[in-house]
Amino acid sequence: MFWLLMISVSIGNELHNPLTRWWEPVLWEGSSALVSTGWMLLAVWGRGRYAQHLGRPLTWFGCYLRWLPLVFISWIAVVYAIRLGVYAMADRTYEHPGWGFVIVYESLKLTYFSGLWLGVLFGIESFGQWQLQWRRLLQTQKALAEAQLAHLQGQLRPHFLFNALNTISALMHTDVVRADRLVAELGDLLRVSLRSNEHEMTPLADELRMLELYAGIMLERFRDRVTLDWQVDRTLLKTPVPSLLLQPLLENAFKHGVEPTVVHVRIMVSVRHEADSLEVVIRNSGSRLAPEQRDGVGLRNCRERLGIIYGSAASLRVDNGDDGVAARIAIPMGDAAP
């Protein structure tokens, strides 16, 4: 486009001269365009060789500018050879200033256009390298986040399985039949848990199913001391949630709400759509949070996973309610944060 514009301007200027034929400005600018395009293509073809110097612009420009003497010689030799040859074939003489003037004039002109072209090429190359580095940074961050999530998820599984085994072990000495039934339920729980290894995210229905299996084991242990109610909006069962996210909250309800007391405790699990979020609340009666109480492994793990997957769009709050403690998780219904 640039050279077409130059040729058009040259034709427009030269046609006012009755001694100039229409093909002459085409030849002048066309020969310049042909050789200049060849050098530009060479510069583009070899740009990868100097990409490592993009962070040092002076070095990058210097790598290209050192070729300028060769560009001057070859450009003048080829361009003027074409012009002289075409004029000779047309039985005309190509008249030009002396070679000293031609070399100085064309060298200065080539230096000017080379600077413009290299500036454009530097901008394009820098933008390409910035995009490449940005993609690599995103890939690195994603790999790091996946590794952190796998580590956190790996911490949870043995944690609650050991607790369940301790529950069964306690029953083995008092009620073998119940302990045997719990072993079977633990097998189901383990099977569902291992299946969750395959994906970081799982449908809410599967997460609630594992929660039910875990609750079944704990209800056997604390029989007649606890009731568990479910209030689940079933239209949300397909919503993806981090696997093993809710189990630590229910485990805390049993550990801090049921174990320390002999009074009857009521636990409620509710799932509903709140604004643009999925809200899960696990509430237990019979206990209060101490002012100095800190998060345990389960809560810290949940907070870290929510932060990695959703950023600040998700939240986990644990606070005292009217008659006990409530743990609330809010998960955005849209996509996870990068």
Side-chain angles (χ1 to χ4, degrees), residues 165-215:
L165 286 172
N166 287 334
T167 301
I168 295 172
S169 176
L171 278 176
M172 288 292 292
H173 302 284
T174 58
D175 193 335
V176 176
V177 175
R178 287 172 59 197
D180 182 65
R181 186 167 62 250
L182 287 181
V183 169
E185 293 180 359
L186 180 59
D188 293 338
L189 178 61
L190 183 59
R191 186 164 44 250
V192 174
S193 168
L194 292 176
R195 201 160 56 220
S196 70
N197 256 339
E198 301 173 0
H199 305 287
E200 169 57 29
M201 305 295 288
T202 187
L204 176 63
D206 291 348
E207 183 70 3
L208 292 177
R209 173 56 182 158
M210 194 167 67
L211 213 59
E212 290 174 351
L213 290 171
Y214 177 78

Side-chain angles (χ1 to χ4, degrees), residues 149-165 186 189-202 207 210 214 242-245 247-248 251 297-298 301 305:
L149 287 172
H151 173 69
L152 294 172
Q153 190 170 337
Q155 283 183 335
L156 282 177
R157 191 167 294 101
H159 186 63
F160 83 80
L161 286 177
F162 287 148
N163 286 344
L165 286 172
L186 180 59
L189 178 61
L190 183 59
R191 186 164 44 250
V192 174
S193 168
L194 292 176
R195 201 160 56 220
S196 70
N197 256 339
E198 301 173 0
H199 305 287
E200 169 57 29
M201 305 295 288
T202 187
E207 183 70 3
M210 194 167 67
Y214 177 78
S243 59
L244 291 176
L245 180 70
Q247 186 276 335
E251 180 181 328
V297 173
N301 193 301
R305 295 176 70 202

Side-chain angles (χ1 to χ4, degrees), residues 295-326:
D295 288 352
V297 173
L299 287 180
R300 287 201 306 271
N301 193 301
C302 289
R303 292 188 198 282
E304 290 183 36
R305 295 176 70 202
L306 288 173
I308 293 172
I309 299 174
Y310 301 102
S312 59
S315 64
L316 167 59
R317 291 190 297 113
V318 182
D319 48 29
N320 290 317
D322 294 336
D323 60 345
V325 178

Side-chain angles (χ1 to χ4, degrees), residues 120-134:
V120 173
L121 184 61
F122 181 79
I124 295 173
E125 284 291 285
S126 297
F127 181 71
Q129 286 296 315
W130 175 80
Q131 284 190 314
L132 179 62
Q133 295 297 329
W134 179 250

Side-chain angles (χ1 to χ4, degrees), residues 256-257 284-291 293 318-326:
H256 301 293
N284 68 272
S285 63
S287 67
R288 307 288 292 179
L289 285 175
Q293 188 163 334
V318 182
D319 48 29
N320 290 317
D322 294 336
D323 60 345
V325 178

